[in-house]
Amino acid sequence: MNILSLLIGIGLVLGGFACWIPQYISIVKQRSSDGLSYWTLLITNVSQVACVINAFLLNNVALDSCLNDFFDDTCIAPLLTVSQVTALWLICFPLMFFYIGYYNRVPEDRRSPGRYRMAVAVLISMLLTTTALSICAVVFVHKEGWNGASTTYYAWFLGIASAIMTCIQWTPQIFDTWVSGERGCVSMLTLAISAPGSLLTTYFMIFVSSQSISTWMCYFISALQQFLLLYLLWRCPEHLPIKEGLLEPVFVEGADPDHARLHIMKSPRFRMDSDQSATELQTPGEEDALIDFTRQ
């Protein structure tokens, strides 16, 4: 492995870990997990766990060589590949906990007890699935060894399953964003870093570390979906935070500067600044709301 490939590999490991930090910052800054899809978080985690186990099982021989000669070419490339997928899983795993922890801070008119219970059920399913896949890998390795036929088949199964899940990984988030027409707390910076990073990871796995298609395919498909989601978010109107809620002005009716009517789409309940008062005219079941602003 040449120096350039080594630097790219290290950069992908660090970049994959760091690109999700803006998403955590966005949740904490907005004090809300509104806009995130828990189905996307579940599929992402299960897919990444499967990819991590796949990478460990299929690269066991190369990883063993690291114990004898850490700087051997047969060690560095597979080690970087395993590090990339592992770092990505570790940084994404806590997102579901953040989703639930900040869900109660979502504006009241957007909360749903059923959605919260479903999110908790999704978190439990995520933990159980992660545990089950890991236990199965340990059992296969214990019974037949790292190079046993069942172990290899299991690794390929996880790789293919990961690629299939990645095909629908971002679909729930894309659908939610398209329907709501809002960014919520979804970080565009995370996607702007992660999408090109996924393409670079695909390149590294194909041309540098010579990984199987079952390992790199999921990153290529993920990159395409992230670019699509990034485009949808870019087309969404930017939120205007007003204390406890978010206001999205679409157009203004009336020329009187002291009394104007704003038409907003699916905006949460909010408070105005001290020099203004607002009365929400939205009735239950309506998607739109007309807000009258009257200066005191």
Side-chain angles (χ1 to χ4, degrees), residues 85-96:
V85 297
T86 304
L88 189 58
W89 171 65
L90 290 176
I91 190 61
C92 291
F93 182 77
L95 269 177
M96 196 65 203

Side-chain angles (χ1 to χ4, degrees), residues 42-57 89 93 124-142 146 150-151 153-163 165:
L42 172 65
I43 298 172
T44 297
N45 179 81
V46 176
S47 175
Q48 289 173 349
V49 169
C51 196
V52 168
I53 297 176
N54 167 276
F56 268 100
L57 294 180
W89 171 65
F93 182 77
I124 295 175
S125 300
M126 184 182 77
L127 296 175
L128 292 177
T129 304
T130 301
T131 303
L133 293 178
S134 302
I135 291 176
C136 289
V138 172
V139 170
F140 281 123
V141 172
H142 178 72
W146 290 95
S150 298
T151 305
Y153 290 145
Y154 181 64
W156 272 91
F157 166 76
L158 291 181
I160 295 174
S162 177
M165 285 184 287

Side-chain angles (χ1 to χ4, degrees), residues 207-220:
F207 299 104
V208 179
S209 59
S210 302
Q211 297 297 306
S212 66
I213 188 174
S214 66
T215 300
W216 61 259
M217 177 59 72
C218 57
Y219 288 92
F220 178 72

Side-chain angles (χ1 to χ4, degrees), residues 69-135:
D69 186 0
F70 181 78
F71 295 99
D72 185 16
D73 286 343
T74 60
C75 164
I76 297 297
L79 182 61
L80 288 174
T81 296
V82 173
S83 299
Q84 289 166 17
V85 297
T86 304
L88 189 58
W89 171 65
L90 290 176
I91 190 61
C92 291
F93 182 77
L95 269 177
M96 196 65 203
F97 294 93
F98 272 69
Y99 179 91
I100 293 178
Y102 281 88
Y103 183 82
N104 288 331
R105 303 185 184 186
V106 172
E108 292 183 2
D109 60 344
R110 288 175 178 259
R111 296 182 196 171
S112 169
R115 184 177 179 86
Y116 179 78
R117 289 192 294 268
M118 179 62 72
V120 174
V122 166
L123 173 61
I124 295 175
S125 300
M126 184 182 77
L127 296 175
L128 292 177
T129 304
T130 301
T131 303
L133 293 178
S134 302
I135 291 176

Side-chain angles (χ1 to χ4, degrees), residues 23 26-27 30 32-37 110 173-174 176-189 191 229-240 246 248 265-266:
Q23 181 60 72
S26 177
I27 296 175
Q30 296 191 29
S32 170
S33 59
D34 188 31
L36 281 178
S37 169
R110 288 175 178 259
Q173 185 65 68
I174 292 172
D176 287 353
T177 302
W178 178 70
V179 170
S180 67
E182 299 177 350
R183 298 179 187 176
C185 68
V186 181
S187 173
M188 293 185 64
L189 180 57
L191 291 171
L229 179 57
L230 187 62
Y231 171 76
L232 291 177
L233 293 173
W234 175 72
R235 292 293 302 271
C236 289
E238 186 174 1
H239 284 156
L240 176 63
L246 298 172
E248 293 183 16
M265 297 292 294
K266 297 181 181 178

Side-chain angles (χ1 to χ4, degrees), residues 243-292:
K243 289 192 175 181
E244 294 183 350
L246 298 172
L247 175 64
E248 293 183 16
V250 177
F251 62 82
V252 180
E253 296 177 348
D256 186 355
D258 293 329
H259 187 82
R261 172 175 285 182
L262 289 182
H263 183 279
I264 64 176
M265 297 292 294
K266 297 181 181 178
S267 295
R269 193 171 288 112
F270 61 89
R271 296 178 184 173
M272 293 301 297
D273 292 331
S274 58
D275 63 334
Q276 291 180 316
S277 64
T279 303
E280 183 174 3
L281 302 180
Q282 184 177 11
T283 58
E286 292 183 348
E287 291 186 347
D288 300 351
L290 292 177
I291 311 300
D292 283 339

